[in-house]
Amino acid sequence: MPRYVYRFDEGGKDQKDLLGGKGANLAEMTRLGLPVPPGFTISTDACREFMRTGRVPPSVRVEVTTALRDVEDALGRRLGDPDDPLLVSVRSGAKFSMPGMMDTVLNVGLTDATLPGLAAAAGDERFAWDSYRRLIQMFGTTVLGVDAGRFTAALEAAEAAAGAGTDVDLDTAALRDLVATFRDIVRDATGRDFPRDPREQLDLAIAAVFGSWDTERARLYRRRERIGHDLGTAVNVVAMVFGNLGDDSGTGVAFTRDPATGRPGAYGDYLPDAQGEDVVAGVRNTLTLDDLRERDPASHRALETAMRRLETHYRDLCDIEFTIERGRLWLLQTRVGKRTAAAAFRIAVALVDEGLITTDEALARVSGDQLSALLFGQFDPAAARALLTRGVGASPGAAVGEIALDDDRAVARADAGADVILVRRETTPDDLAGMIAATGILTARGGKTSHAAVVARGMGTCAVVGAEQVEIDTAAGQVRVGDRVLHPGDVISLDGATGEVFDGAVAVVDSPVARYVADGLDAGLDAAGDDAAIAELVRAVHRLLTHADSRRRLRVRANADTADDAARARARGAQGVGLCRTEHQFLGERRRHLERVVLATDDAERTAALDALLPLQRADFAALLEATDGQPTTIRLLDPPLHEFLPDLTDLSVRVALAAERGRPDPHDERLLAAVRRMHETNPMLGLRGVRLGLTVPGLFALQVRAVAEAALALRRAGRDPRPEIMVPLVGSARELHLVRAEVERVLAEVCGPERLDVPVGCMIELPRAALTAARVAGEADFFSFGTNDLTQTTWGFSRDDVEGAFFATYLDNGVLTVSPFETIDADGVGALVRAGVDGGRSVKPGLSCGVCGEHGGDPESIRFFHDVGLDYVSCSPFRVPVARLEAGRAAVLAPGGDADATA
Ligand code: PEP
Ligand code: MG
């Protein structure tokens, strides 16, 4: 028969799967000899059985009897004994803490029959009635399902009738009346009397805790926190100790360090004459631990000793729930405490300095997400704000600026010194000037990988996308959000992390950590000014980031299209460029050149158009390669469908029709319109783009390769060390790459003559077919770079520009997805293709360099996956580089067998 019940002295902290977090830690504290009331845990196995069958396994009742007798013997009190009754609490406790989501019942075992005994044993009749009203209230709501509001209303009425300020002012008679009222409420709501049998109370409470695992609010919480629904909760039955025995009793929570700032030294709240949730529920104002020291120095000393013991044992910040019963301290819960990003860094480093953990362990205890939180400017938490609407937080940061509805205005206002928020229905490559000028970007359409989102993250500009309530009327020059109408020049504020949009300006505070990663330690310390805590934070980040660099195997490159981007990335520690999207070099004025290429009707015209582009591209690449001198620089040949560089079909059709109507037809526009119609595609992302473009538009790729080669050669002649790599996008078959490669080699040979220029030629792996035929593709490739944006799009068949705004909310809600696969690599599907690609490629070329340049290259969880599949580098936007460095270091120390591997 399976075993379901474990006494506290039988478990330990590593048994969270079986005993839940609370049970495992209660067991651990018991084993450490800390003052924990005796008790036992009913395992998560029992809960899973409960979920399967709809009832508590029958053997649990028997095992509970045995374990209960052990508790009774240890204390010399019995459940239901009228003279000196044992009372117990019944507490939920899953593997992961789910604050407030599940149920707890205190004072189980109190009945009309045992109440006098409790009063006599405590020498306090009021206390007994107070405990009884709490039991009926908690049991009534959580076990019997009575509306909590009915009890609260009755309590408030009693307080009012007694002229009492709070519950502590109710006297014995008032509490006795309240108990009678509560009993009536139970009878009225459930049609039955409040249970008079202590064991029945206990069994019902246990079943209720198991049942609370599956409530709607608990399911919702788990979906958001990505906790599995199948884990189940454990139930802890603990002998009651009482914080509501008067002034020398109380209950509190304490942290061994400040979880908000990481400042060393205990931190906590204490409430005299109180029980259970009173502290966090805010029923009365709490006292500090210093106040406790003054009131009860002995208990305070005992608490300090216990905290030091726990912190030494767990080697981390612990949080604790405690109760003081008539001057005696009891610990009711502990766990490694949650903390802010700043506290995480400071505490990790402080623990290294105190000799409690190694630097590898410290690195494992901070995360890339925490570092990102420290890098972006933030709204001053104390600042007032008025929420306007909410979209998808696509690029973190805090932006305040005046609305601009078009690029011209954005640029003009920014040039005039204004902070601008570019507000668009969606953005296109055409908007780049406006996006660069803007402090923040707000779009009404699109998801986290929409153009606006990707470009904004690349630039480190705060962006909120897909704010669907925002209606933009460019013609009328206004933005409508519900009833509120805004105009260009009106100020709004964006929180790029939460997706919130505020009316008016919200005060922003600078991040010294951002100054540090951009300009070095001195700049960060300078920005910290006189604030010693912030200076300590900057130093902590510096130490852990430096340590990550010394430990990581993955190199970190940047996705950078311009010399400025590359320089910015390099300052942040990038080791080269993993993706230069050359299409970004054909925007604005330069678009006309590509238009000429598209419109060319014969070779001569096309050659002339391409020739005109050569000096421009050569200058682009020269600048880029100069910024990345000595570092590998992957230049991707033109990828997007060419019609992206042509005017919009509808706009152009209208223009041509109007001109014809006025009798002034424009032959250029008419030719253009014919070309746009000819090139129109229903599914452009699956159409004529990437390598297909190179193979169908003669001379296009050759021009780009020539520009790269000439730029590199010139730099080398000037004594520099340019290291370009040519990358071919959207390859699906080895033959495609073979054909392009032949052309690339021909051009390189032509440009270089006898001077050798070693330019690796590789391809992106962003189609499932390329991953599946990687062994053949690798025969033509010097390197692979996984384009996980397109690979996710083509593996799932999700349009990356549309789905996040369209139905992801539903998919996240109903559990089809736990996170957007465009944000974190879908390890089972897309990840399996990455693995197949790496393995296939290296099966024919063992040393084949493999990297990733999709958005996932900057995502912490994905980086750990890429480490595990054996990639050589990740490439991400310049601003993510420090995050990627940190996560690559963590991946190395957390990998199986790594120094911080918990299973090692
Ligand atoms: C990709 O598809 O992952 C990629 C990096 O290319 P792009 O985002 O430019 O399509
Ligand atoms: Mg792509």
Side-chain angles (χ1 to χ4, degrees):
M1 208 162 38
R3 179 174 176 199
Y4 292 117
V5 176
Y6 299 83
R7 287 194 319 264
F8 288 165
D9 57 5
E10 293 179 307
K13 71 175 169 30
D14 298 326
Q15 289 177 292
K16 293 197 179 74
D17 286 322
L18 181 71
L19 303 177
K22 192 179 286 168
N25 287 321
L26 280 166
E28 190 76 13
M29 288 198 291
T30 303
R31 294 213 313 206
L32 285 174
L34 289 167
V36 175
F40 54 89
T41 303
I42 310 168
S43 73
T44 56
D45 285 341
C47 184
R48 281 188 292 271
E49 200 51 23
F50 177 90
M51 287 192 278
R52 204 174 62 78
T53 62
R55 60 183 190 140
V56 178
S59 62
V60 165
R61 195 178 146 73
V62 177
E63 286 188 63
V64 164
T65 304
T66 317
L68 188 63
R69 289 200 178 175
D70 287 340
V71 174
E72 289 173 338
D73 292 348
L75 291 172
R77 269 184 274 155
R78 295 208 184 147
L79 194 73
D81 180 349
D83 295 330
D84 186 10
L86 169 71
L87 303 193
V88 295
S89 66
V90 180
R91 296 160 188 268
S92 61
K95 175 175 182 181
F96 303 105
S97 99
M98 295 171 49
M101 288 303 119
M102 287 185 303
D103 295 339
T104 282
V105 187
L106 306 181
N107 305 333
V108 168
L110 197 49
T111 64
D112 292 355
T114 57
L115 184 130
L118 181 72
D124 186 342
E125 198 180 347
R126 182 194 173 279
F127 151 77
W129 286 104
D130 183 49
S131 302
Y132 204 15
R133 73 92 187 160
R134 288 169 187 272
L135 169 67
I136 304 175
Q137 188 171 356
M138 265 182 280
F139 195 98
T141 45
T142 62
V143 184
L144 302 176
V146 181
D147 176 9
R150 295 187 67 175
F151 294 113
T152 325
L155 175 61
E156 279 165 9
E159 284 169 2
T166 67
D167 60 303
V168 279
D169 303 318
L170 294 176
D171 63 16
T172 309
L175 287 166
R176 190 186 296 125
D177 290 346
L178 192 58
V179 163
T181 312
F182 278 8
R183 273 214 215 85
D184 291 344
I185 291 175
V186 168
R187 195 177 309 111
D188 181 56
T190 66
R192 57 165 288 185
D193 280 334
F194 185 76
R196 291 168 197 280
D197 174 4
R199 183 59 200 260
E200 185 192 359
Q201 288 178 358
L202 177 59
D203 290 339
L204 285 173
I206 290 169
V209 172
F210 282 144
S212 71
W213 176 257
D214 235 3
T215 57
E216 195 39 51
R217 69 174 180 188
R219 294 188 74 87
L220 197 70
Y221 180 89
R222 288 197 293 273
R223 275 204 291 279
R224 228 188 41 206
E225 300 291 314
R226 299 203 229 164
I227 298 172
H229 292 311
D230 53 351
L231 295 178
T233 181
V235 177
N236 302 288
V237 177
V238 193
M240 280 300 304
V241 287
F242 298 99
N244 54 337
L245 270 172
D247 238 20
D248 56 355
S249 303
T251 182
V253 293
F255 296 83
T256 56
R257 297 169 193 245
D258 186 337
T261 64
R263 191 173 42 83
Y267 168 98
D269 291 313
Y270 178 70
L271 198 60
D273 197 9
Q275 201 179 47
E277 302 291 297
D278 290 354
V279 181
V280 281
V283 293
R284 282 176 264 141
N285 285 338
T286 55
L287 307 180
T288 65
L289 295 186
D290 287 339
D291 298 328
L292 173 63
R293 180 192 288 124
E294 273 181 26
R295 293 171 70 99
D296 183 353
S299 296
H300 182 267
R301 210 164 28 251
L303 180 64
E304 271 191 332
T305 308
M307 283 201 276
R308 186 180 150 92
R309 190 82 201 281
L310 283 171
E311 202 176 78
T312 308
H313 185 70
Y314 283 85
R315 302 184 305 131
D316 205 347
L317 156 78
C318 292
D319 74 34
I320 295 161
E321 281 181 24
F322 65 94
T323 281
I324 295 172
E325 184 186 88
R326 295 211 166 131
R328 175 151 185 214
L329 174 77
W330 294 97
L331 303 183
L332 301 183
Q333 178 177 328
T334 192
R335 67 182 163 209
V336 168
K338 296 210 163 80
R339 63 206 73 184
T340 63
F345 276 88
R346 281 184 68 191
I347 290 171
V349 165
L351 291 172
V352 173
D353 291 341
E354 291 167 31
L356 276 175
I357 61 175
T358 65
T359 316
D360 272 2
E361 286 172 312
L363 181 56
R365 288 186 187 182
V366 294
S367 71
D369 285 336
Q370 286 167 337
L371 179 57
S372 339
L374 297 174
L375 287 178
F376 291 103
Q378 288 150 4
F379 286 126
D380 185 344
R385 61 196 73 190
L387 187 68
L388 197 56
T389 186
R390 206 183 282 271
V392 178
S395 179
V400 181
E402 55 171 73
I403 294 174
L405 298 181
D406 58 65
D407 299 319
D408 289 345
R409 184 183 169 101
V411 172
R413 293 298 301 142
D415 284 349
D419 287 330
V420 175
I421 308 279
L422 181 66
V423 182
R424 308 278 291 166
R425 212 171 92 88
E426 60 217 334
T427 64
T428 69
D430 243 2
D431 292 316
L432 199 69
M435 295 175 79
I436 290 171
T439 306
I441 296 160
L442 171 64
T443 69
R445 292 271 313 269
K448 278 193 178 162
T449 50
S450 61
H451 178 268
V454 172
V455 174
R457 274 199 296 278
M459 300 190 303
T461 301
C462 165
V464 173
V465 299
E468 287 172 1
Q469 290 176 346
V470 174
E471 292 168 40
I472 299 156
D473 185 341
T474 325
Q478 67 177 35
V479 180
R480 185 183 285 278
V481 187
D483 295 339
R484 177 85 167 101
V485 179
L486 296 146
H487 298 94
D490 289 347
V491 173
I492 56 172
S493 305
L494 308 181
D495 187 327
T498 62
E500 289 166 311
V501 182
F502 301 103
D503 207 346
V506 180
V508 176
V509 282
D510 250 358
S511 152
V513 176
R515 286 289 312 281
Y516 153 67
V517 296
D519 300 319
L521 186 57
D522 288 345
L525 292 175
D526 198 42
D530 294 336
D531 192 330
I534 300 291
E536 194 183 305
L537 170 63
V538 171
R539 276 197 206 90
V541 172
H542 173 65
R543 270 174 67 182
L544 293 182
L545 203 49
T546 315
H547 186 68
D549 287 338
S550 74
R551 301 295 272 130
R552 64 191 162 89
R553 194 205 70 234
L554 280 171
R555 288 190 300 281
V556 176
R557 298 199 201 173
N559 292 357
D561 308 325
T562 63
D564 281 352
D565 281 352
R568 201 175 288 134
R570 191 169 193 158
R572 286 168 171 74
Q575 295 162 291
V577 164
L579 172 63
C580 165
R581 291 179 165 104
T582 52
E583 55 270 23
H584 290 170
Q585 297 164 341
F586 289 95
L587 302 169
E589 271 298 284
R590 288 190 182 185
R591 204 167 86 159
R592 283 182 306 113
H593 293 282
L594 272 183
E595 208 173 274
R596 278 181 63 200
V597 176
V598 176
L599 291 181
T601 47
D602 56 32
D603 286 353
E605 246 185 292
R606 186 178 309 107
T607 309
L610 290 170
D611 282 351
L613 272 174
L614 182 64
L616 304 174
Q617 281 272 271
R618 194 167 48 217
D620 293 333
F621 298 137
L624 179 68
L625 291 167
E626 198 162 357
T628 59
D629 193 58
Q631 297 186 323
T633 307
T634 308
I635 297 170
R636 181 175 75 183
L637 302 178
L638 213 58
D639 182 16
L642 280 189
H643 65 73
E644 277 198 10
F645 298 98
L646 302 180
D648 174 74
L649 176 60
T650 316
D651 291 353
L652 191 58
S653 305
V654 171
R655 205 157 78 205
V656 168
L658 283 177
E661 202 180 283
R662 288 190 196 114
R664 284 198 303 272
D666 180 336
H668 175 78
D669 275 359
E670 284 176 358
R671 271 181 77 198
L672 206 53
L673 180 60
V676 171
R677 287 219 174 97
R678 192 174 65 241
M679 301 183 72
H680 178 76
E681 293 175 301
T682 307
N683 282 321
M685 289 308 267
L686 299 178
L688 182 58
R689 53 173 287 222
V691 65
R692 305 160 193 174
L693 205 57
L695 293 177
T696 45
V697 182
L700 183 62
F701 279 7
L703 151 86
Q704 290 196 291
V705 175
R706 178 175 297 276
V708 171
E710 289 181 0
L713 218 51
L715 283 169
R716 207 173 63 187
R717 287 179 189 143
R720 300 301 178 83
D721 179 16
R723 300 196 183 175
E725 302 175 338
I726 301 279
M727 179 155 75
V728 185
L730 215 73
V731 164
S733 94
R735 178 77 187 157
E736 287 171 323
L737 187 57
H738 174 82
L739 294 171
V740 173
R741 186 181 183 102
E743 190 181 18
V744 170
E745 280 171 358
R746 182 182 56 73
V747 174
L748 286 177
E750 212 174 283
V751 174
C752 299
E755 288 181 80
R756 260 190 66 79
L757 195 61
D758 189 15
V759 182
V761 180
C763 68
M764 299 196 64
I765 303 289
E766 48 188 346
L767 293 175
R769 191 176 193 286
L772 296 170
T773 60
R776 257 179 284 154
V777 177
E780 304 290 341
D782 299 321
F783 62 86
F784 280 173
S785 176
F786 289 87
T788 45
N789 300 334
D790 273 310
L791 193 58
T792 301
Q793 165 163 270
T794 50
T795 300
W796 277 93
F798 285 156
S799 160
R800 60 195 263 196
D801 295 311
D802 304 307
V803 283
E804 286 183 289
F807 61 86
F808 266 21
T810 313
Y811 265 38
L812 291 167
D813 237 27
N814 62 21
V816 176
L817 299 173
T818 46
V819 62
S820 164
F822 289 107
E823 212 176 304
T824 294
I825 190 93
D826 153 37
D828 296 340
V830 180
L833 285 169
V834 172
R835 201 182 287 276
V838 173
D839 293 349
R842 289 189 180 151
S843 70
V844 294
K845 285 194 179 159
L848 183 73
S849 161
C850 293
V852 57
C853 63
E855 287 297 297
H856 305 88
D859 170 65
E861 197 175 319
S862 310
I863 290 170
R864 290 197 288 283
F865 174 82
F866 297 135
H867 173 92
D868 291 341
V869 295
L871 293 193
D872 298 298
Y873 67 87
V874 295
S875 188
C876 58
S877 67
F879 292 92
R880 298 292 292 174
V881 165
V883 172
R885 286 163 54 201
L886 188 83
E887 282 296 343
R890 295 186 68 227
V893 301
L894 285 166
D899 285 11
D901 170 21
T903 62

